Amino acid sequence: MQLTFREEGGDAFAARVAGRLDRRLSHDDPAPVALALSGGGDSLALVLTAARWATARGRPLLALTVDHRLQPESAAWSRFAAEAARAAGADWRGLAWDGPKPAKGLTAAARTARHRLIADAAREAGARVVLTGHTADDIAEADWMRERGATLGRLREWSPSPVWPEGRGLMLMRPLLTERRGELRAWLAANGARWIEDPANSDPRFGRSRARLALAGGGSVAEAGDRARVPAPGPIRWETEGVLALDRDVGGHALAAAVVSLGGGATPPRGERLAALLDRLRAGEAVAATLAGTRIEAPRGDRVRLMREAGELRRRPVAPVRLLPGREAVWDGRYAFLADRPGWRVEAASGRLAALSEIDRARIARLPAAARGACPVLMRDDGTGPVLADSAVARRDLVPERLALALDQTTHEDDLTRARWRNAVERPIFTDMTFRPTARDGASDDRGPL
């Protein structure tokens, strides 16, 4: 794809995108920036402008294209995307959503599969940020769909990956979120570019297409960013590792982020259960409840404690995770483990507490009784275990990382420092951390604060 760009000083659109990237991303960093590239007009405008920025700032750019295997032309579209990315100066990798497709909810399933594939590829490449080509028109279309009952989250310029645990440690950045789709295409045409028009975008069977058709010709476009802001709730504090403390006036978004992070799941609570719990907390009632795998304890008074509900692991057992040397493995969505030799696996402490050593039982007794069985223990094929730790296995607590991203504790790529690995018997490194949720609406991004 041969393009003739206008001089950057006279290209207002490219300059705006570069300015947004400068505000969020690091310069002269060897880690690549990942980019979701479909070959459509929005993502093509993004890869062309982002590649120019990356070249100027000394950053590798990795374009990732997902073939959903849903269109006869999908393989050709991937080839087009590869050519466009490489012509712009970016690296490219093709990904595929293989296997059976659901008869219902295909659009949502495809979106989740796309996020998972991109997150896995981005982490494997060492990227911390994934750029996507969402525009102001996408905000308007999502608003139109929500008014008709859709459960789509609100789009923001900077938000965590919505999939878990694949998206751990990854942020999404949407540098085109204040741009109009028609203006992007005018810019592409002026620069001699061509792009793909997916026929599904005009197929009225899909909600997004119906929204696009309804808004064609100049529907109102909301400003990007957080809307319907409410006062920020009080801080969320670590009482001890795995146990959070918060105030009864906690906001809906912050509570949802806390329970899904501690519960280790991928889907945050929604609807009536979350609203009912918030009402009970704010009314000062005594509460003992489980939501999204997290136990909420609130005796009368201001104190509220959250922890992983060990009983949930008995009702919905978490499969043991076998550790392969040198390969990170995630257990229960809450802990990552890295072993330096074979023969180890991770299981729940539930049912094994009495078999722990006296020292390990003393350590685990520091936790509330309801949370002890939800702790991970190490087992060896040779019969060693259960033990809380071994020098051959490093452990990382993912809950603080996840919660920090969900509660907007990061504003720049430099904030995404990797938590250091530690042996499980060391002093927890997050015990003194306090999260101060920012003022924002209760809606989440792409179905969750993940």
Side-chain angles (χ1 to χ4, degrees):
M1 180 182 296
Q2 297 297 321
L3 302 179
T4 304
F5 289 110
R6 293 168 289 174
E7 290 298 322
E8 186 165 352
D11 192 333
F13 165 63
R16 289 196 301 273
V17 174
R20 293 167 195 142
L21 295 172
D22 274 337
R23 286 194 295 272
R24 296 285 191 183
L25 302 183
S26 309
H27 298 178
D28 298 316
D29 190 316
V33 176
L35 183 148
L37 177 64
S38 68
D42 302 341
S43 67
L44 188 64
L46 177 60
V47 76
L48 294 176
T49 51
R52 295 167 69 184
W53 173 88
T55 298
R57 299 294 183 259
R59 293 296 302 270
L61 183 67
L62 173 62
L64 300 169
T65 300
V66 176
D67 183 348
H68 296 87
R69 308 285 206 236
L70 296 175
Q71 297 283 356
E73 305 91 341
S74 63
W77 292 347
S78 290
R79 289 193 296 271
F80 173 87
E83 178 188 346
R86 289 165 178 156
D91 294 327
W92 179 86
R93 181 180 170 190
L95 310 168
W97 183 32
D98 293 316
K101 307 298 189 285
K104 294 183 178 180
L106 179 61
T107 300
R111 180 173 60 248
T112 299
R114 179 170 62 251
H115 276 296
R116 284 176 175 161
L117 288 164
I118 288 173
D120 277 338
R123 282 192 305 100
E124 181 180 342
R128 296 181 290 264
V129 178
V130 178
L131 307 180
T132 71
H134 293 92
T135 68
D137 296 84
D138 289 297
I139 295 177
E141 290 159 8
D143 286 344
W144 187 93
M145 294 168 69
R146 272 193 299 273
E147 290 172 359
R148 289 151 183 82
T151 57
L152 292 171
R154 299 188 186 279
L155 297 173
R156 296 183 294 143
E157 181 183 87
W158 184 255
S159 62
S161 169
V163 289
W164 191 262
E166 298 89 346
R168 58 190 183 277
L170 285 175
M171 294 296 288
L172 302 186
M173 183 185 176
R174 303 175 176 97
L176 307 184
L177 206 54
T178 57
E179 306 291 340
R180 296 299 303 266
R181 187 176 292 134
E183 294 169 356
L184 299 186
R185 281 151 178 75
W187 180 86
L188 289 170
N191 284 288
R194 55 189 178 88
W195 58 92
I196 294 168
E197 289 291 356
D198 186 345
N201 290 335
S202 57
D203 188 336
R205 292 178 299 173
F206 303 111
R208 176 70 65 175
S209 302
R210 292 195 296 273
R212 188 171 296 195
L213 292 169
L215 295 172
S220 62
V221 175
E223 289 294 325
D226 298 334
R227 290 161 294 179
R229 285 182 175 268
V230 295
I236 299 175
R237 304 168 296 279
W238 284 109
E239 188 172 288
T240 187
E241 185 176 13
V243 182
L244 285 170
L246 49 82
D247 297 331
R248 285 180 175 269
D249 66 350
V250 63
H253 170 74
L255 181 59
V259 298
V260 75
S261 297
L262 276 172
T267 305
R270 290 189 178 275
E272 295 180 358
R273 292 197 67 196
L274 179 63
L277 177 59
L278 286 167
D279 288 344
R280 293 181 64 192
L281 290 175
R282 290 165 182 168
E285 296 182 21
V287 173
T290 300
L291 190 62
T294 293
R295 180 177 179 83
I296 300 97
E297 294 182 350
R300 292 190 182 278
D302 295 332
R303 187 185 186 197
V304 182
R305 295 199 305 180
L306 277 63
M307 67 200 78
R308 179 69 161 119
E309 171 62 79
E312 284 292 294
L313 274 70
R314 293 191 293 270
R315 288 186 288 273
R316 299 178 179 84
V318 176
V321 171
R322 183 162 295 279
L323 304 181
L324 301 177
R327 182 176 299 180
E328 179 178 300
V330 175
W331 179 82
D332 194 33
R334 296 182 294 136
Y335 292 94
F337 289 87
L338 190 64
D340 65 10
R341 67 193 69 167
W344 287 102
R345 66 185 184 277
V346 185
E347 299 188 11
S350 181
R352 299 176 176 84
L353 294 173
L356 290 170
S357 69
E358 184 177 348
I359 293 175
D360 279 352
R361 287 200 304 273
R363 290 191 181 105
I364 212 167
R366 301 169 189 167
L367 297 175
R372 293 169 192 166
C375 289
V377 294
L378 299 173
M379 309 283 290
R380 271 196 67 81
D381 293 344
D382 63 8
T384 302
V387 295
L388 291 183
D390 188 273
S391 60
V393 182
R395 188 183 81 175
R396 191 167 93 239
D397 188 347
L398 297 176
V399 176
E401 298 178 34
R402 187 180 188 186
L403 192 55
L405 298 186
L407 296 180
D408 299 328
Q409 303 295 297
T410 69
T411 60
H412 192 276
E413 186 183 7
D414 288 348
D415 300 328
L416 303 174
T417 55
R418 301 297 189 193
R420 68 178 179 88
W421 290 92
R422 63 185 180 88
N423 186 277
V425 298
E426 292 179 21
R427 175 181 171 81
I429 58 175
F430 292 110
T431 302
D432 299 326
M433 181 177 287
T434 298
F435 301 96
R436 298 190 178 276
T438 58
R440 54 169 292 187
D441 63 4
S444 54
D445 308 289
D446 289 331
R447 292 195 54 79
L450 312 176

